[in-house]
């Protein structure tokens, strides 16, 4: 079992290093430095509040769902970071390129990725055409976390799963109310 885990970790580090170092271009750096903020607290909460204030009818209900999904999704994120205190790649892999503010909390799962997918999932379920715009943006936030040296691929995959499942559950089960 240890051999399999080591093999998987080596593959994950290879993917991380490819995204983090082999793809570095100034235009990509500017793009990822900008888009990553959509998954931060200010960006994700701000988007939900903006939709809540400016929206009406169904859009306002979906904004509430997104805000609720965002809030709920960070419970498993914080629990996972405590249960599985994984060091961030830039703390372990010396050749990691970082071009953003270094974080002190643990790596698994990616909170930015979780936030983005928890906010966009109710919107996409409400109007599937929005996926044409929201999925590329959401995946860009996820990739930005590796590109900027903050997360391993499995951190990002964990964030995608937690955010998507939480958004889906809130949309269909926890908050089918209307205002």
């Amino acid at each position: 079992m240890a051999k399999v885990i080591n093999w998987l970790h080596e593959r994950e580090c290879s993917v991380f290093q490819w995204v983090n170092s082999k793809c570095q271009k100034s235009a990509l750096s500017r793009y990822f430095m900008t888009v990553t903020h959509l998954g931060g607290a200010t960006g994700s909460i701000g988007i939900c509040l903006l939709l809540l204030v400016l929206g009406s009818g169904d859009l306002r209900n979906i904004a509430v769902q997104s805000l609720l999904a965002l809030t709920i999704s960070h419970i498993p994120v914080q629990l996972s970071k405590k249960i599985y205190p994984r060091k961030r790649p830039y703390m372990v892999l010396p050749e990691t390129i970082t071009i953003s503010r270094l974080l002190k909390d643990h790596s698994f799962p990616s909170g930015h990725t979780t936030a983005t997918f928890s906010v966009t999932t109710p919107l996409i379920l409400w109007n599937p055409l929005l996926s044409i715009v929201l999925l590329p943006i959401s995946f860009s936030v996820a990739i930005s976390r590796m590109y900027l040296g903050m997360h391993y691929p499995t951190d990002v995959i964990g964030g995608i799963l937690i955010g998507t499942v939480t958004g889906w559950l809130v949309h269909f089960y926890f908050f089918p109310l209307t205002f």
Side-chain angles (χ1 to χ4, degrees):
M1 186 63 155
K3 279 186 173 185
V4 171
I5 291 172
N6 286 338
W7 183 84
L8 288 171
H9 181 68
E10 287 174 15
R11 298 295 84 64
E12 177 173 50
C13 287
S14 294
V15 170
F16 167 79
Q17 289 169 331
W18 182 81
V19 171
N20 179 254
S21 63
K22 302 289 190 254
C23 296
Q24 292 287 333
K25 305 281 185 251
S26 64
L28 274 179
S29 295
R30 283 190 300 276
Y31 173 72
F32 285 132
M33 283 292 296
T34 302
V35 78
T36 200
H37 293 296
L38 295 174
T42 303
S44 56
I45 295 169
I47 289 166
C48 291
L49 293 177
L50 188 67
L51 291 173
L52 186 61
V53 170
L54 299 178
S56 62
D58 286 344
L59 181 57
R60 188 176 174 133
N61 292 327
I62 298 304
V64 171
Q65 288 180 14
S66 290
L67 191 57
L68 184 60
L70 175 64
T71 303
I72 292 170
S73 71
H74 276 70
I75 296 168
V77 167
Q78 293 308 312
L79 287 174
S80 296
K81 286 181 185 271
K82 296 217 183 295
I83 293 168
Y84 187 64
R86 184 181 201 186
K87 290 184 179 181
R88 290 183 180 272
Y90 65 82
M91 297 173 160
V92 178
L93 304 172
E95 64 279 0
T96 300
I97 298 169
T98 57
I99 52 177
S100 65
R101 182 176 61 92
L102 301 181
L103 302 171
K104 304 289 185 225
D105 65 337
H106 298 294
S107 184
F108 182 82
S110 167
H112 281 69
T113 304
T114 302
T116 301
F117 279 87
S118 67
V119 169
T120 59
T121 297
L123 288 161
I124 291 169
L125 292 170
W126 170 63
N127 184 345
L129 283 176
L130 291 174
S131 64
I132 295 167
V133 173
L134 295 180
L135 285 178
I137 292 171
S138 297
F139 280 107
S140 289
V141 170
I143 293 166
S144 78
R145 305 312 292 157
M146 292 182 287
Y147 185 91
L148 299 172
M150 299 294 127
H151 289 285
Y152 294 99
T154 51
D155 301 339
V156 168
I157 292 167
I160 291 169
L161 291 173
I162 292 169
T164 302
V165 168
T166 305
W168 189 87
L169 288 172
V170 167
H171 182 75
F172 286 112
Y173 294 106
F174 292 122
F175 207 86
L177 306 174
T178 58
F179 286 100

